[in-house]
Amino acid sequence: MAVLHDLLIAPFVEFAFMQRALLGTLMLSVSAAPVGVFLMLRRMSLTGDAMAHAILPGAAAGFLLYGLKIIPMTLGGLIAGILVALSAGAVSRLTVQKEDASMAAFYLISLAVGVIMVSLRGSNIDLMHVLFGTVLALENDALTLIGLVTGITLLAFLVFWRALVAECLDPLFLRSVSKLGSPVHFVFLGLVVINLVAGFQALGTLLSVGLMILPAAAARFWARRVETMCLLAMVIGALSSICGLLLSYHAALPSGPTIILSAGFAYVASVITGPRGILVTRLPNTAHRTA
């Protein structure tokens, strides 16, 4: 019992930075993971990754003007994410190019511009902070921001749940029976942006999408209903956060990547052993055909 206490509980009891990191990542799991489920069901997972990179120039602009301060970097990232989303949408509607291609183009431009902007003033350490986050250095302001985003996201799900599900599964039907089709789509894109901005505080621009996509992708192998997938994605995200923080503490590994790697392990395990995974859906069929 003493060994288990030292391994699993003591780090969170003895160190305030571990408590803040745990609180921040748990809130991100509750907020971002359900958004990831809808991204996955809409086949927009790579769009989420592109949006995560798109916030970098805005965050870098805030860094250039005010240094590593939360509010300027957050507002800059939010503005940049919205601008890239609107620009990609405009290009796809006004030209022959599809939205995925225009989004990829804008996110590559944004990533390059953001890295150059950070490099103009900051050191390599500052660049690593912006790209990969510092989950063990979360301050009260960052936790307040993450908590606010979590509250907004849960409230939006409560109000727009039926419309979000309908728009996700059959957008044409929703637009034929209701005027909520387009507004709900923009509400959802707004949730994606604010959750990526919140995740940026802990995991940086390159990894903030990890707690959004990986738990959701893992949950897909265990559940069929959207509600169940969202709840399971929250649980997987929370467990990945706990395991990643503990592993990074005991093995002296970088915390953000270790959290995402833990979520990646949960995804691989789900692919293999889940009720909708390889072992259940493929091997029995193979054995039956052989017989």
Side-chain angles (χ1 to χ4, degrees), residues 191-204:
L191 292 178
V192 174
V193 172
I194 64 173
N195 275 277
L196 289 173
V197 170
F200 158 76
Q201 305 298 332
L203 301 170

Side-chain angles (χ1 to χ4, degrees), residues 57-267:
F63 169 75
L64 284 176
L65 294 174
Y66 299 98
L68 292 171
K69 293 186 180 296
I70 291 174
I71 294 178
M73 294 180 69
T74 298
L75 291 176
L78 186 61
I79 293 171
I82 293 173
L83 286 177
V84 168
L86 293 176
S87 300
V91 169
S92 66
R93 284 163 176 76
L94 299 176
T95 70
V96 297
Q97 194 168 61
K98 299 296 184 181
E99 190 169 13
D100 59 338
S102 60
M103 183 68 74
F106 277 106
Y107 107 73
L108 288 170
I109 295 170
S110 299
L111 180 61
V113 170
V115 170
I116 291 175
M117 290 174 68
V118 175
S119 301
L120 288 176
R121 174 175 173 179
S123 63
N124 288 335
I125 295 177
D126 293 325
L127 180 61
M128 294 292 287
H129 169 87
V130 173
L131 293 179
F132 299 104
T134 51
V135 67
L136 294 182
L138 286 176
E139 299 176 349
N140 292 335
D141 290 343
L143 291 177
T144 300
L145 172 67
I146 295 172
L148 181 62
V149 169
T150 301
I152 293 173
T153 301
L154 294 180
L155 180 61
F157 278 132
L158 182 64
V159 174
F160 297 105
W161 177 262
R162 291 172 62 88
L164 282 168
V165 173
E167 206 269 338
C168 173
L169 300 179
D170 196 344
L172 294 179
F173 171 76
L174 179 63
R175 291 170 186 171
S176 66
V177 300
S178 172
K179 297 180 179 179
L180 289 176
S182 295
V184 166
H185 181 69
F186 285 107
V187 167
F188 175 70
L189 289 179
L191 292 178
V192 174
V193 172
I194 64 173
N195 275 277
L196 289 173
V197 170
F200 158 76
Q201 305 298 332
L203 301 170
T205 57
L206 294 187
L207 296 178
S208 61
V209 74
L211 275 181
M212 185 178 289
I213 297 299
L214 286 172
R220 185 73 184 273
F221 291 98
W222 298 92
R224 293 180 181 273
R225 293 178 58 84
V226 178
E227 298 89 340
T228 309
M229 270 190 273
C230 288
L231 292 174
L232 189 55
M234 292 181 187
V235 173
I236 294 173
L239 292 176
S240 300
S241 299
I242 296 171
C243 293
L245 286 172
L246 289 173
L247 183 59
S248 70
Y249 174 81
H250 292 295
L253 297 172
S255 299
T258 307
I259 291 172
I260 302 306
L261 191 60
S262 298
F265 176 81
Y267 169 73

Side-chain angles (χ1 to χ4, degrees), residues 11-86:
F12 297 118
V13 173
E14 296 176 3
F15 301 103
F17 67 88
M18 289 289 288
Q19 296 170 9
R20 289 193 294 269
L22 178 63
L23 178 59
T25 52
L26 289 181
M27 288 192 294
L28 284 174
S29 299
V30 171
S31 179
V35 175
V37 170
F38 283 94
L39 272 175
M40 177 187 62
L41 293 177
R42 290 164 177 256
R43 299 182 180 180
M44 293 174 60
S45 299
L46 291 179
T47 300
D49 184 50
M51 291 300 300
H53 295 77
I55 68 176
L56 182 56
F63 169 75
L64 284 176
L65 294 174
Y66 299 98
L68 292 171
K69 293 186 180 296
I70 291 174
I71 294 178
M73 294 180 69
T74 298
L75 291 176
L78 186 61
I79 293 171
I82 293 173
L83 286 177
V84 168
L86 293 176

